[in-house]
Amino acid sequence: MNNSTGFASYFQFKNVNWPNLEAAAWETIWMTVVAVVIVAIFGLLLGLLLFETRNSNSPLIKALNWIVSAFVNIFRSIPFIILIVLLLNFTQILVGSITGPKAAIPSLVFSAAPFYARLVEIAFREVDAGVIEAATAMGATRWQIIYKVLIPESLPALISGITVTAISLIGYTAMAGAIGAGGLGQLAYTDGFQSYNNAITLAATVAIVIIVMIFQLIGDRAVKHVDKR
Amino acid sequence: MIELKDLTKTFQTDDGEVHAVSDVNLTVNKGEVFGIVGFSGAGKSTLVRMLNGLETPTSGEVIINGTRIDNLGGTQLREKRRKIGMIFQHFNLLWSRTVLQNIMFPLELTNLTKNEREKKAQHLAELVGLGDRMHAYPSQLSGGQKQRVGIARALANDPDILISDEATSALDPQTTDEVLELLEDINKKLKLTIVIITHEMHVIRRLADTVAVMEDGKVIEKGSVAEVFTHPKEDLTKRFVNAEIDPTQTVDIREITKDLLQKYPDGLLVKLAFHGDQVQQPVVSEVIRKFPNLQLSILEGAIHQVADKATTIGSLYIQLLGPKDDIEKCLQFLQELRVETVVIQDEQ
């Protein structure tokens, strides 16, 4: 069975090492989940910072807004594959290695957190200003307004935002896999493409599509559950 | 209770300075319902937003219960705000919370236990007539029910003052009356001072004791509702009062009076205005008996109660036909009865 070209090659599934595929799938899921959790935390904080520092008259806060905004815009515009290479030294210091699923996390976070921060900011802007005014009139502090009004009232948008971010993170893990992070991306690239084993590439693709669908499903369900509008 | 001294608020905009509120002096007594009426853009909203520090005045003083609040900040201001409830035109409820949870919101800002909060919120939900909808979300409620939640929420921290910012403007007439009734009830039961701003004179007539009329950021007229309704001074006030109690404002009656004046140039169209007990007097039959040569026909009549039913205002449009002499005497007779008469001319 050395027929490594043609469409038929994609369906020679006996060439697929299923335990390997399963292990790779779990690596992808692990990278995605860990990155999503960290991205959610940093994105929320950055988004909150962007939201709270907008329309201020104080020059200090204006400057802060400008800095955060610039940071977010810069990291959002660097292509992911370049970002990984750019952060190699940083990753080495932080994780102690530049290969494996763990090593993918810093670059995943740096690329996705600014993206999510913008989504968070937009979600907060969508919250009815009248409701915020009502809370202020009741004597709520700024912090109480954040966790009692802003976050609950924008929760559907925050969840659909993190779903979108999670799905693009799955795509990024595959890219990171191509340069040694492990997971389905690495499997498809080294065991599939570089070993002329198209069936592995197809199997890895199908596995990724299933993972994406599961994340989307979870996200949609969660939004439906919290949205009482 | 509330004292506003030379209150001014100026906004800087791209088109220069806008004087939203200028030199307003008002006193609101404890337990009264104080209405502020004016068209949109008159500065009413800005004015009441200075009562709870949502806006800070450019100059002047806001004194509540003897304490200046316009220069407070931080904890002190929040402390004061808790004692001032506020309801809004668009209700401003949290869609993510149930009726009960919405009412509990202000209570969560105090140090009541969860149990106490729930008990109090349940009591308030019942007070506003939503005892059976406590676990519904705002999206499942009608406009009137939403405003009831808003009222319950505003009352949660036992405020001394309730501010109503166009609270009935988004509601249909019947729901408006229901909400006004609830506010009236609350004012009586809880001895609450209520400040309402509105562009509807109907709201003032139903609810307020005292009224201030605002135009271009200034208070142009103020007084007891009974006084302002019976003797409005400024043109704008007259317009507001007439829109509420004078049927000549309708196109129909204007067309008809025009027709009649053309058809019967000798006849006289008169508007009679009655105040208080006068509305119960048999004025028309007395006129008919006294002036048998006159023909009297009634065009339109209306009767309204103002200032919490303390005063009644009636108006009657009549046409008098007959000898000029008799018509003159008839007008004199009406004046003797102390009924106000206004002869309607063609240009009206």
Side-chain angles (χ1 to χ4, degrees), chain B residues 26 34-38 201 204-205 208-214 219-245 271 275 306-307 311 313 340:
Chain B
L26 285 179
F34 193 99
I36 300 171
V37 70
M201 212 53 182
I204 302 286
R205 178 167 72 79
D209 304 308
T210 312
V211 61
V213 183
M214 275 189 88
V219 171
I220 56 167
E221 187 164 353
K222 61 188 164 189
S224 79
V225 171
E227 176 66 22
V228 169
F229 263 85
T230 48
H231 299 105
K233 289 188 196 78
E234 300 292 325
D235 282 344
L236 180 70
T237 316
K238 282 178 189 160
R239 268 171 71 191
F240 270 117
V241 170
N242 284 341
E244 174 62 10
I245 61 167
K271 174 194 168 186
H275 307 137
V306 297
T311 303
I313 300 177
E340 276 179 44

Coordinates of all heavy atoms in Angstrom, one line a residue, chain B residues 26 34-38 201 204-205 208-214 219-245 271 275 306-307 311 313 340:
Chain B
L26 N -36.1 76.9 43.7 CA -37.3 76.1 44.0 C -37.3 75.6 45.5 O -36.2 75.3 46.0 CB -37.5 75.0 43.1 CG -38.0 75.2 41.7 CD1 -38.0 73.8 40.9 CD2 -39.3 75.9 41.6
F34 N -44.5 67.4 43.8 CA -44.0 68.6 43.1 C -43.9 68.3 41.6 O -43.1 67.4 41.2 CB -42.7 69.1 43.6 CG -42.4 70.5 43.2 CD1 -42.6 71.6 44.0 CD2 -41.8 70.7 42.0 CE1 -42.3 72.9 43.6 CE2 -41.5 72.0 41.6 CZ -41.7 73.1 42.4
G35 N -44.6 68.9 40.7 CA -44.5 68.6 39.3 C -43.7 69.7 38.6 O -43.8 70.9 38.9
I36 N -42.9 69.2 37.6 CA -42.2 70.2 36.8 C -42.6 69.8 35.3 O -42.4 68.7 34.9 CB -40.7 70.0 36.9 CG1 -40.3 70.3 38.4 CG2 -39.9 71.0 36.0 CD1 -38.8 70.0 38.7
V37 N -43.2 70.8 34.7 CA -43.7 70.6 33.3 C -43.0 71.4 32.3 O -42.5 72.5 32.7 CB -45.2 70.7 33.3 CG1 -45.6 72.2 33.4 CG2 -45.8 70.1 32.0
G38 N -42.8 70.9 31.1 CA -42.1 71.7 30.1 C -42.0 70.8 28.9 O -42.1 69.6 29.0
M201 N -49.6 67.6 30.9 CA -50.3 68.3 32.0 C -51.2 67.4 32.7 O -51.6 67.6 33.9 CB -51.0 69.5 31.3 CG -51.2 70.7 32.2 SD -49.6 71.3 32.9 CE -50.2 72.6 33.9
I204 N -49.7 66.1 35.8 CA -49.7 67.2 36.8 C -51.0 67.3 37.5 O -51.2 67.4 38.7 CB -49.3 68.6 36.2 CG1 -47.9 68.5 35.5 CG2 -49.3 69.7 37.2 CD1 -46.7 68.4 36.4
R205 N -52.1 67.4 36.6 CA -53.4 67.5 37.1 C -53.8 66.4 38.0 O -54.5 66.6 39.0 CB -54.4 67.6 35.9 CG -55.9 67.7 36.3 CD -56.7 68.1 35.1 NE -56.9 67.0 34.2 CZ -57.7 65.9 34.3 NH1 -58.5 65.9 35.4 NH2 -57.8 65.0 33.4
A208 N -50.1 66.2 41.0 CA -49.2 67.1 41.7 C -50.0 68.1 42.6 O -51.2 68.3 42.4 CB -48.5 67.9 40.7
D209 N -49.3 68.6 43.6 CA -49.9 69.6 44.5 C -49.4 71.0 44.0 O -50.1 72.0 44.0 CB -49.5 69.4 46.0 CG -49.8 68.0 46.5 OD1 -51.0 67.7 46.3 OD2 -49.0 67.3 47.0
T210 N -48.1 71.0 43.7 CA -47.5 72.2 43.3 C -46.8 72.0 41.9 O -46.4 70.9 41.6 CB -46.3 72.6 44.2 OG1 -46.9 72.5 45.6 CG2 -45.8 74.0 44.0
V211 N -46.8 73.0 41.1 CA -46.3 72.8 39.7 C -45.3 74.0 39.4 O -45.5 75.1 39.8 CB -47.4 72.7 38.7 CG1 -48.3 73.9 38.6 CG2 -46.8 72.4 37.3
A212 N -44.3 73.6 38.7 CA -43.4 74.7 38.1 C -43.3 74.4 36.6 O -43.2 73.3 36.2 CB -42.0 74.5 38.7
V213 N -43.4 75.5 35.9 CA -43.4 75.4 34.4 C -42.0 75.8 34.0 O -41.5 76.9 34.3 CB -44.5 76.3 33.8 CG1 -44.4 76.1 32.2 CG2 -45.8 75.9 34.3
M214 N -41.3 75.0 33.1 CA -40.0 75.3 32.7 C -39.9 75.6 31.2 O -40.6 74.9 30.4 CB -39.0 74.2 33.0 CG -38.4 74.3 34.4 SD -37.1 73.1 34.6 CE -35.7 74.0 34.1
V219 N -37.4 78.5 35.3 CA -38.8 78.3 35.8 C -39.6 79.6 35.5 O -39.2 80.7 36.0 CB -38.7 78.0 37.3 CG1 -40.2 78.0 37.9 CG2 -38.1 76.7 37.5
I220 N -40.6 79.5 34.6 CA -41.3 80.7 34.2 C -42.5 81.0 35.1 O -43.1 82.1 35.1 CB -41.6 80.8 32.7 CG1 -42.5 79.5 32.4 CG2 -40.4 80.8 31.9 CD1 -43.1 79.7 31.0
E221 N -43.0 79.9 35.7 CA -44.2 80.1 36.5 C -44.3 78.9 37.5 O -43.9 77.8 37.2 CB -45.5 80.1 35.6 CG -46.7 80.4 36.4 CD -47.9 80.8 35.5 OE1 -47.7 80.9 34.3 OE2 -49.0 80.9 36.0
K222 N -44.7 79.3 38.8 CA -44.9 78.2 39.7 C -46.0 78.6 40.7 O -46.3 79.7 40.9 CB -43.6 77.9 40.5 CG -43.0 79.0 41.3 CD -41.7 78.6 41.8 CE -41.0 79.9 42.3 NZ -39.6 79.7 42.7
G223 N -46.6 77.6 41.3 CA -47.7 77.8 42.2 C -48.5 76.5 42.4 O -48.1 75.5 41.9
S224 N -49.5 76.6 43.2 CA -50.3 75.4 43.5 C -51.0 75.0 42.2 O -51.3 75.9 41.4 CB -51.3 75.7 44.6 OG -52.4 76.4 44.1
V225 N -51.2 73.7 42.1 CA -51.8 73.2 40.8 C -53.2 73.9 40.6 O -53.5 74.3 39.5 CB -51.9 71.7 40.8 CG1 -52.7 71.2 39.7 CG2 -50.5 71.1 40.8
A226 N -54.0 74.0 41.7 CA -55.3 74.6 41.5 C -55.2 76.0 41.0 O -55.9 76.4 40.1 CB -56.0 74.6 42.9
E227 N -54.2 76.8 41.5 CA -54.0 78.2 41.1 C -53.6 78.3 39.7 O -54.1 79.0 38.9 CB -53.0 78.8 42.1 CG -52.6 80.2 41.8 CD -53.8 81.2 41.9 OE1 -54.7 80.9 42.7 OE2 -53.7 82.3 41.3
V228 N -52.6 77.4 39.3 CA -52.1 77.5 38.0 C -53.1 77.1 36.9 O -53.2 77.6 35.9 CB -50.7 76.7 37.9 CG1 -50.3 76.5 36.4 CG2 -49.6 77.3 38.7
F229 N -53.9 76.1 37.3 CA -54.9 75.6 36.3 C -56.0 76.6 36.1 O -56.5 76.8 35.0 CB -55.5 74.3 36.8 CG -54.8 73.1 36.1 CD1 -53.7 72.5 36.7 CD2 -55.4 72.6 35.0 CE1 -53.1 71.5 36.0 CE2 -54.8 71.5 34.3 CZ -53.6 70.9 34.9
T230 N -56.4 77.3 37.2 CA -57.5 78.3 37.1 C -57.0 79.6 36.6 O -57.7 80.3 35.8 CB -58.2 78.5 38.4 OG1 -57.3 78.7 39.5 CG2 -59.0 77.2 38.8
H231 N -55.8 80.0 37.0 CA -55.3 81.3 36.5 C -53.9 81.3 36.0 O -53.0 81.8 36.6 CB -55.4 82.3 37.7 CG -56.8 82.6 38.2 ND1 -57.2 82.0 39.3 CD2 -57.8 83.2 37.6 CE1 -58.5 82.4 39.5 NE2 -58.9 83.1 38.4
P232 N -53.7 80.6 34.9 CA -52.3 80.6 34.3 C -51.9 81.9 33.8 O -52.8 82.7 33.3 CB -52.5 79.6 33.1 CG -53.9 79.6 32.8 CD -54.7 79.9 34.0
K233 N -50.7 82.3 34.1 CA -50.2 83.6 33.7 C -49.4 83.7 32.4 O -49.8 84.4 31.5 CB -49.3 84.2 34.8 CG -50.1 84.5 36.1 CD -49.2 85.3 37.1 CE -49.9 85.3 38.5 NZ -49.7 84.0 39.2
E234 N -48.4 82.8 32.3 CA -47.6 82.9 31.1 C -48.3 82.2 29.9 O -49.1 81.3 30.1 CB -46.2 82.2 31.4 CG -45.4 82.8 32.5 CD -44.9 84.2 32.2 OE1 -44.6 84.4 31.0 OE2 -44.9 85.0 33.1
D235 N -47.8 82.6 28.7 CA -48.4 82.0 27.5 C -48.2 80.5 27.5 O -49.2 79.7 27.1 CB -47.8 82.6 26.3 CG -48.4 84.0 26.0 OD1 -49.5 84.3 26.6 OD2 -47.8 84.8 25.3
L236 N -47.0 80.0 27.8 CA -46.7 78.6 27.7 C -47.6 77.8 28.7 O -48.1 76.8 28.4 CB -45.3 78.4 28.0 CG -44.9 76.9 28.0 CD1 -44.9 76.4 26.5 CD2 -43.5 76.7 28.6
T237 N -47.8 78.4 29.9 CA -48.6 77.7 30.9 C -50.0 77.6 30.4 O -50.7 76.6 30.5 CB -48.6 78.6 32.2 OG1 -47.3 79.0 32.5 CG2 -49.1 77.7 33.4
K238 N -50.5 78.7 29.8 CA -51.9 78.7 29.3 C -52.0 77.6 28.2 O -53.0 76.9 28.2 CB -52.2 80.0 28.6 CG -52.6 81.1 29.7 CD -52.9 82.4 29.0 CE -53.0 83.5 30.1 NZ -52.8 84.8 29.6
R239 N -51.0 77.5 27.4 CA -51.0 76.4 26.4 C -51.1 75.0 27.0 O -51.9 74.2 26.6 CB -49.8 76.5 25.5 CG -50.0 77.4 24.3 CD -48.7 77.6 23.5 NE -48.2 76.4 22.8 CZ -47.0 76.4 22.3 NH1 -46.2 77.4 22.4 NH2 -46.6 75.3 21.7
F240 N -50.3 74.8 28.0 CA -50.3 73.5 28.7 C -51.7 73.3 29.3 O -52.2 72.2 29.2 CB -49.2 73.5 29.8 CG -47.9 73.0 29.3 CD1 -46.8 73.7 29.3 CD2 -47.8 71.7 28.8 CE1 -45.6 73.3 28.8 CE2 -46.6 71.2 28.3 CZ -45.5 72.0 28.3
V241 N -52.2 74.3 30.1 CA -53.4 74.1 30.8 C -54.6 73.9 29.8 O -55.4 73.0 29.9 CB -53.7 75.3 31.7 CG1 -55.1 75.3 32.2 CG2 -52.7 75.4 32.8
N242 N -54.6 74.7 28.7 CA -55.6 74.6 27.7 C -55.6 73.2 27.0 O -56.7 72.6 26.8 CB -55.5 75.7 26.7 CG -56.0 77.0 27.2 OD1 -56.8 77.0 28.2 ND2 -55.6 78.1 26.6
A243 N -54.4 72.8 26.7 CA -54.3 71.5 26.0 C -54.9 70.4 26.9 O -55.5 69.4 26.4 CB -52.8 71.2 25.8
E244 N -54.9 70.6 28.2 CA -55.4 69.6 29.1 C -56.9 69.8 29.3 O -57.7 68.8 29.3 CB -54.7 69.6 30.4 CG -55.2 68.7 31.5 CD -55.2 67.2 31.1 OE1 -54.5 66.9 30.1 OE2 -55.7 66.4 31.9
I245 N -57.4 71.0 29.5 CA -58.8 71.1 29.9 C -59.7 71.9 29.0 O -60.8 72.1 29.2 CB -58.9 71.7 31.4 CG1 -58.3 73.1 31.4 CG2 -58.3 70.8 32.4 CD1 -58.7 73.9 32.6
K271 N -67.3 81.2 26.0 CA -66.8 80.1 26.8 C -67.0 80.5 28.3 O -66.6 81.6 28.7 CB -65.3 80.0 26.6 CG -64.7 78.9 27.5 CD -63.2 79.0 27.4 CE -62.6 78.2 28.6 NZ -61.1 78.4 28.6
H275 N -65.3 77.3 38.4 CA -64.3 76.8 39.4 C -65.0 76.3 40.6 O -65.9 76.9 41.1 CB -63.3 77.9 39.8 CG -62.6 78.5 38.6 ND1 -62.4 79.9 38.5 CD2 -62.2 78.0 37.4 CE1 -61.9 80.1 37.3 NE2 -61.7 79.0 36.7
V306 N -58.7 68.7 39.5 CA -57.3 69.0 39.6 C -56.8 68.9 41.0 O -57.6 68.9 42.0 CB -56.9 70.4 39.0 CG1 -57.3 70.4 37.5 CG2 -57.5 71.5 39.8
A307 N -55.5 68.8 41.1 CA -54.8 68.8 42.4 C -55.5 67.9 43.4 O -56.0 68.2 44.4 CB -54.8 70.3 43.0
T311 N -59.9 70.6 43.7 CA -60.6 71.6 42.9 C -61.2 71.0 41.6 O -60.7 70.1 41.1 CB -59.6 72.7 42.4 OG1 -59.0 73.2 43.6 CG2 -60.3 73.9 41.7
I313 N -62.7 72.0 37.8 CA -62.8 73.1 36.8 C -63.7 72.6 35.7 O -63.6 71.4 35.2 CB -61.4 73.3 36.1 CG1 -60.4 73.7 37.2 CG2 -61.5 74.3 35.0 CD1 -59.0 73.9 36.6
E340 N -66.7 83.0 34.9 CA -65.8 83.7 33.9 C -66.3 83.5 32.5 O -66.7 82.4 32.1 CB -64.4 83.2 34.0 CG -63.6 83.8 35.1 CD -62.2 83.2 35.2 OE1 -61.6 83.1 34.1 OE2 -61.8 82.9 36.3

